[in-house]
Amino acid sequence: MSSNDVTYALCDVNSFYVACERLFRPDLKDKPVIVLSNNDGCAIAMCDFSKSLGIKIGTPYFQIKSLLKRHNIEWFSSNYGLYGDISQRFNWVLQQFTDKVAPYSVDESFLMFQGFSGDLTEHCQNLKQTVNQWLSLPICVGLGPTKTLAKVANYYAKKHKQSTNGVVDLRSQKNRQWALEHLAVENIWGVGRRLSQKLKLQRIDTAWDLHNCDYKTLQRMFSVNMERTILELRGQPCFEFHQHPQAKQSILNSRSFGNPITNKADLKEALAYHATRCCEKLRKQSSLANSIQLFLRTRHSDHPQATLSLTEPSDDTSLFLQAIEQGLNRIYRPDQVYKKAGVMLLGIEPSKGYQADIFNQTRQRPELMESLDTINAKFGKDAIKFGSLGFDKRWAMRANARSPHYTSRWNDIIRLK
DNA sequence: TCTGGGGTCCTAGGACCC
DNA sequence: TCTGGGGTCCTAGGACCC
């Protein structure tokens, strides 16, 4: 089968976080809603009405506070437990329509159709309707011969929801040219603010302009990714389709503090917490890491940082906690005010097949880690934990309006009276 | 006063080696 | 005093994505 038979579909939930918040709150169906980032810092998702007021993604909460009140807009702290669970259900529905589903982010997935006989547009209309019926999520679908063109199609489906009924097909050359001619270069997937500025200096203003460029020249001027984007705009697939999540090459956990911190003991607890979460993610993907980086952020936007290597790769939380303590001693300054802390694991490799160094005296306790994970999976996060995590979480972030974890915590299940 | 978090990939430049 | 060239590996920083 030639690659000409391959079509990609990008399915994306409209205002996903807002849609999730509305799921269990039918009273919010026609009411404006926005969702704030972690720590209730800024707006990260909103309904069309809020957009029409000029609120942009990333606007700080304090700047829109009065606007929200004036227009009676309901706002929520983000609830990633809920969004993650709904996302899984979304992908499950997509799998009823093709066995080739590649989740791309929490709210969008690529599908691949190969040698599909029948009307693909109709199939996707059907898919869209099913997602809406089963999960009550509004989605848009873009079809194209490459992922980049499917993204372009999705852009138009979202922009013209009414006239397209939420599905746009850019497989034909004629539709494609029109779509690219009317698409500003900054709206192409992979072309951000900086690159579009530079492209415009070269008089490359639209996706069609970029499509017609000499890709070798632009590869030299920019990078291989620019070359790939151009080829994808011409219908030649360059970006891979990963059906299964790839093992992460770095694992990061970080949070801003609810209130600024100066105390070393509090910082240590926060870092221990982040290291614990990182190690859980590491074990979940069956990997080992050989180094850990901890970083702090002060009021003055500088970020002291320390990277420590283990004597051999490990997934044992306690080894990383020891490293944290050493690292913090190196970078902590009592006269500083800290806003944020984080931990990153690096040098990641699969644990399967790892040849342990027989001369290494470091304790590795896979059974202990496994028991820890099993207990916490059953009884909830940190049901059992290392003492260095502490108990009072004085550093915890703000989340003043978080909705219940309707689908993932027994205590949060809706009760009917 | 208050501005998120978690990733990927690419490139440039320095260290080091032969 | 003169002091090459090519390769690899690592890291930091930048750009992008959602």
Side-chain angles (χ1 to χ4, degrees):
Chain A
M1 197 167 290
S2 80
S3 66
N4 290 337
D5 294 310
V6 173
T7 299
Y8 295 91
L10 178 66
C11 304
D12 150 306
V13 183
N14 309 334
S15 307
F16 179 60
Y17 296 171
V18 169
C20 288
E21 295 298 346
R22 279 176 171 155
L23 280 183
F24 295 89
R25 290 282 307 273
D27 58 305
L28 297 180
K29 185 165 173 275
D30 299 310
K31 210 181 157 194
V33 171
I34 82 165
V35 178
L36 300 181
S37 65
N38 270 327
N39 219 25
D40 296 342
C42 54
I44 51 167
M46 66 194 82
C47 61
D48 290 340
F49 175 76
S50 310
K51 274 179 207 159
S52 74
L53 293 178
I55 305 174
K56 298 257 182 305
I57 302 284
T59 313
Y61 170 63
F62 73 91
Q63 285 179 10
I64 50 175
K65 202 169 165 183
S66 58
L67 200 64
L68 299 183
K69 203 163 183 184
R70 197 176 331 139
H71 292 278
N72 201 14
I73 298 174
E74 193 91 14
W75 66 272
F76 289 91
S77 307
S78 29
N79 181 347
Y80 293 104
L82 175 66
Y83 311 150
D85 186 66
I86 302 301
S87 178
Q88 280 187 25
R89 294 167 198 238
F90 169 56
N91 281 295
W92 180 81
V93 178
L94 297 180
Q95 274 156 15
Q96 313 307 306
F97 288 81
T98 169
D99 55 348
K100 294 204 167 51
V101 177
Y104 173 64
S105 73
V106 69
D107 70 332
E108 59 190 281
S109 292
F110 285 101
L111 313 185
M112 189 161 88
F113 295 98
Q114 205 156 9
F116 184 86
S117 61
D119 187 335
L120 197 48
T121 309
E122 198 181 302
H123 190 60
C124 289
Q125 288 286 359
N126 190 3
L127 179 158
K128 172 179 178 266
Q129 205 185 337
T130 307
V131 172
N132 198 262
Q133 250 170 30
W134 293 4
L135 299 176
S136 196
L137 295 176
I139 70 166
C140 285
V141 185
L143 288 165
T146 63
K147 289 166 85 175
T148 303
L149 286 168
K151 272 276 193 183
V152 173
N154 185 276
Y155 171 87
Y156 283 103
K158 234 189 280 181
K159 197 171 175 195
H160 306 286
K161 278 183 209 119
Q162 303 305 325
S163 57
T164 64
N165 200 21
V167 179
V168 166
D169 181 356
L170 287 185
R171 282 175 299 168
S172 86
Q173 190 61 49
K174 188 175 139 250
N175 288 352
R176 206 183 300 165
Q177 179 169 344
W178 186 93
L180 296 182
E181 280 171 351
H182 292 81
L183 187 71
V185 85
E186 64 265 27
N187 292 323
I188 302 170
W189 186 40
V191 179
R193 200 168 44 87
R194 289 305 186 91
L195 286 178
S196 60
Q197 279 172 1
K198 289 184 187 166
L199 287 170
K200 284 179 175 171
L201 289 176
Q202 309 286 322
R203 306 217 164 270
I204 301 166
D205 296 310
T206 67
W208 186 246
D209 294 339
L210 187 62
H211 165 281
N212 292 328
C213 284
D214 179 58
Y215 63 85
K216 278 294 167 201
T217 309
L218 267 78
Q219 188 253 309
R220 280 191 296 274
M221 283 173 66
F222 297 95
S223 75
V224 296
N225 275 337
M226 185 61 85
E227 175 185 10
R228 290 180 187 139
T229 297
I230 294 172
L231 291 173
E232 286 241 329
L233 288 173
R234 297 182 187 175
Q236 185 179 323
C238 296
F239 297 127
E240 283 188 56
F241 183 85
H242 292 296
Q243 228 172 313
H244 302 290
Q246 306 290 293
K248 306 273 183 258
Q249 297 166 41
S250 64
I251 292 177
L252 185 127
N253 215 80
S254 70
R255 286 287 179 282
S256 298
F257 303 133
N259 295 300
I261 280 182
T262 54
N263 183 318
K264 190 174 175 187
D266 290 339
L267 287 177
K268 198 178 121 190
E269 285 185 14
L271 289 166
Y273 175 87
H274 296 312
T276 301
R277 298 285 90 81
C278 283
C279 289
E280 284 169 359
K281 294 180 196 171
L282 184 70
R283 292 192 293 271
K284 196 160 184 194
Q285 68 167 38
S286 305
S287 297
L288 305 173
N290 70 21
S291 53
I292 180 167
Q293 183 175 90
L294 48 142
F295 60 89
L296 304 172
R297 192 144 303 173
T298 67
R299 272 209 180 137
H300 314 287
S301 80
D302 57 325
H303 36 287
Q305 158 238 312
T307 308
L308 297 100
S309 296
L310 301 186
T311 48
E312 83 177 306
S314 174
D315 63 1
D316 189 318
T317 305
S318 64
L319 297 179
F320 292 99
L321 292 178
Q322 285 169 24
I324 289 276
E325 191 152 2
Q326 288 174 34
L328 182 59
N329 287 338
R330 256 190 236 169
I331 60 174
Y332 174 72
R333 300 243 326 258
D335 55 341
Q336 284 289 350
V337 177
Y338 297 98
K339 286 168 47 179
K340 177 175 176 172
V343 165
M344 179 153 48
L345 299 184
L346 302 157
I348 292 176
E349 60 179 285
S351 55
K352 199 178 158 194
Y354 173 72
Q355 192 74 47
D357 176 0
I358 54 167
F359 299 112
N360 192 301
Q361 297 298 304
T362 323
R363 284 190 304 163
Q364 302 260 12
R365 300 166 296 181
E367 301 83 4
L368 179 64
M369 290 303 119
E370 204 182 317
S371 312
L372 206 77
D373 291 336
T374 311
I375 292 170
N376 286 332
K378 187 164 179 187
F379 296 101
K381 187 164 81 178
D382 288 336
I384 182 166
K385 63 183 180 185
F386 285 90
S388 51
L389 269 73
F391 293 92
D392 19 335
K393 277 200 187 173
R394 277 181 298 272
W395 50 273
M397 67 177 182
R398 278 188 293 270
N400 290 328
R402 177 140 67 206
S403 51
H405 290 70
Y406 297 106
T407 59
S408 55
R409 281 190 198 163
W410 289 112
N411 290 337
D412 287 359
I413 282 183
I414 284 192
R415 279 159 229 254
L416 297 177
K417 291 177 185 162

